[in-house]
Amino acid sequence: MKRAIVFGATGGIGQEICRDLAAEGWSLYLHYNSHEQTALDLGKELFAKYPSQDFLPIKLDFASSDAELADFVEKLLPVNAAVFAQGITKYVFLGDETLDSITKLINVNLTVPIKLTKLLEPQLMRQDYSRIVYLGSVYGGAGSALEAVYSATKGGLTRFAQAYAREVASNNLTVNVIAPGAVKTNMNAIFSEDTIQEVQDEIPMGRWAKANDISYWVTTLLNKRSGYLTGQTIYVTGGWLL
């Protein structure tokens, strides 16, 4: 049985990733922090469709200590894929940002994913093939004003994946980043309709991405046939900001 852990499974993109992976025969750990009911509902939905697979909601706060992170990974059933779909941002000038908020952004988006990757590595290496996919951002390649720290973390994922992929390629472990552009999710619900339309007018495809536009590429990277693609950042942006 192939099993993946999806961090950030309760987010708009994370839920679609889980639905697509479940349809491809994956059993899943559905990670959540504060949205327990969403994770439980998603697990029930997927089990009703795919009763021969496992869908296990699992809680982890990315503010956990190193010892707690290690204990979390130690208790997992073997996985041969990890998808990091969690992420936070804050729209503010750097000069108005708090130091605590900067630390939280870096921890959630970059530091803890790297730590969890290190902790998951031994069990990923034991599989016939294994996959890691990080959810980056177009702003990791073209920085966004008012999101300087967020842009830095997403750019950091790109460079980390590029370097780490070279360390583990001979073990059939691929490491890649899917970098979305503008996606219609709750994260962007704070924008006015005018702002949403302004962004849409800049996108050559003429629309914002839907969550399943992104989940398709994550699912593709987890396919066994994708084993020769590693260390890459794939920008899924409808041609925006390229």
Side-chain angles (χ1 to χ4, degrees), residues 7-8 31 33 60-64 84-89 100-114 116 134-135 150 153-154 157 187:
F7 294 99
H31 162 258
N33 180 22
L60 177 67
D61 187 340
F62 273 40
S64 298
F84 291 87
Q86 86 303 326
I88 57 174
T89 190
D100 283 346
S101 180
I102 291 171
T103 298
K104 183 178 180 180
L105 272 166
I106 295 172
N107 278 342
V108 170
N109 292 353
L110 183 62
T111 304
V112 174
I114 290 175
L116 288 169
Y134 304 100
L135 206 66
Y150 174 82
T153 62
K154 295 302 186 177
L157 282 177
M187 179 183 283

Side-chain angles (χ1 to χ4, degrees), residues 45 71 83 134:
E45 171 195 329
D71 184 62
V83 178
Y134 304 100

Side-chain angles (χ1 to χ4, degrees), residues 5 26 50 55 71 75 89 92 153 156 165 183 192 208 216 219 221 238:
I5 182 166
W26 288 84
Y50 312 104
F55 304 101
D71 184 62
K75 293 177 179 177
T89 190
V92 64
T153 62
V183 186
S192 69
W208 285 51
Y216 167 82
T219 304
L221 287 178

Side-chain angles (χ1 to χ4, degrees), residues 35-239:
H35 299 289
E36 179 180 19
Q37 192 58 53
T38 302
L40 291 172
D41 291 345
L42 180 61
K44 291 177 183 176
E45 171 195 329
L46 297 176
F47 185 72
K49 290 184 178 180
Y50 312 104
S52 64
Q53 296 159 230
D54 298 328
F55 304 101
L56 305 174
I58 189 166
K59 178 179 172 63
L60 177 67
D61 187 340
F62 273 40
S64 298
S65 68
D66 289 350
E68 289 168 330
L69 295 177
D71 184 62
F72 172 85
V73 171
E74 176 101 17
K75 293 177 179 177
L76 294 176
L77 295 168
V79 298
N80 56 306
V83 178
F84 291 87
Q86 86 303 326
I88 57 174
T89 190
K90 188 175 181 182
Y91 299 95
V92 64
F93 288 108
L94 180 62
D96 296 327
E97 184 66 277
T98 67
L99 298 183
D100 283 346
S101 180
I102 291 171
T103 298
K104 183 178 180 180
L105 272 166
I106 295 172
N107 278 342
V108 170
N109 292 353
L110 183 62
T111 304
V112 174
I114 290 175
K115 288 181 176 181
L116 288 169
T117 298
K118 178 263 187 301
L119 293 167
L120 286 164
E121 180 185 280
Q123 60 173 282
L124 290 170
M125 293 289 203
R126 288 195 292 269
Q127 309 301 322
D128 291 337
Y129 80 98
S130 46
R131 304 281 184 262
I132 297 174
V133 179
Y134 304 100
L135 206 66
S137 170
V138 66
Y139 290 140
S144 171
L146 302 180
E147 291 182 286
V149 179
Y150 174 82
S151 298
T153 62
K154 295 302 186 177
L157 282 177
T158 285
R159 288 295 165 256
F160 173 75
Q162 186 180 55
Y164 182 59
R166 300 179 72 177
E167 296 182 16
V168 297
S170 63
N171 296 91
N172 296 318
L173 168 56
T174 67
V175 186
N176 294 289
V177 177
I178 295 295
V183 186
K184 275 290 187 74
T185 65
N186 289 336
M187 179 183 283
N188 292 314
I190 64 170
F191 295 124
S192 69
E193 285 300 320
D194 286 344
T195 300
I196 290 172
Q197 187 60 50
E198 286 176 12
V199 172
Q200 183 164 305
D201 291 343
E202 295 177 0
I203 300 172
M205 285 275 184
R207 66 174 178 87
W208 285 51
K210 296 175 288 186
N212 60 12
D213 289 319
I214 310 306
S215 63
Y216 167 82
W217 291 102
V218 175
T219 304
T220 298
L221 287 178
L222 263 63
N223 189 289
K224 190 172 185 177
R225 294 182 62 189
S226 71
Y228 202 63
L229 179 70
T230 194
Q232 303 303 306
T233 294
I234 300 172
Y235 291 93
V236 186
T237 69

